[in-house]
Amino acid sequence: QVQLVESGGGLVQPGGSLRLSCAASGFTFSSYVMSWYRQAPGKARELVARIFSAGGTTNYADSVKGRFTISRDNAKNTVYLQMNSLKPEDTAVYSCHAAPPSMLVSYWGQGTQVTVSS
């Protein structure tokens, strides 16, 4: 059974930092493409960051480049999202996503709330 369990969300002031974690089980983590998506109230879900299995190539949304860093620890079956210089517009539910390179199947975590507010 595939499970993706996010943690690390919460309330942070503008300019602050948070690190999200996504613990995975039930599939061959090291061969999967891992991504973080977010969805703010009234907005469409958007891709925040992606890390590929081979070589650790990463992609980022323009809105988070230079502020967010995605990484993975294949020994721990965990993907991380380090978020620095947070802005109120980063407020959203952040969800972990897993898919093989073929993208024929995909799995989602339950999401974790990130709120950036003073």
Side-chain angles (χ1 to χ4, degrees), residues 12-20 38 48 60 63-70 81-88 90 94 114 116:
V12 63
Q13 292 186 341
S17 298
L18 282 175
R19 187 175 83 153
L20 305 183
R38 69 184 181 186
V48 176
Y60 295 93
S63 58
V64 306
K65 281 181 181 177
R67 300 188 298 122
F68 290 12
T69 303
I70 189 171
L81 185 67
Q82 178 67 44
M83 306 185 294
N84 299 327
S85 303
L86 282 161
K87 305 174 181 180
D90 294 319
Y94 285 71
V114 171
V116 185

Side-chain angles (χ1 to χ4, degrees), residues 1 7 18 25 39 43 45 52 61 63 66 91 95 100 106 111-112:
Q1 180 182 0
S7 61
L18 282 175
S25 61
Q39 187 167 23
K43 295 188 176 182
R45 184 167 57 197
F52 291 83
S63 58
T91 296
S95 298
S106 67
T112 186

Side-chain angles (χ1 to χ4, degrees), residues 48-112:
V48 176
R50 174 167 289 162
I51 184 165
F52 291 83
S53 55
T57 301
T58 56
N59 298 141
Y60 295 93
D62 287 342
S63 58
V64 306
K65 281 181 181 177
R67 300 188 298 122
F68 290 12
T69 303
I70 189 171
S71 62
R72 65 192 297 161
D73 185 337
N74 289 339
K76 295 182 178 180
N77 287 1
T78 301
V79 62
Y80 305 97
L81 185 67
Q82 178 67 44
M83 306 185 294
N84 299 327
S85 303
L86 282 161
K87 305 174 181 180
E89 51 263 43
D90 294 319
T91 296
V93 174
Y94 285 71
S95 298
C96 179
H97 177 266
S102 66
M103 298 292 177
L104 291 178
V105 295
S106 67
Y107 305 105
W108 291 93
Q110 81 286 354
T112 186

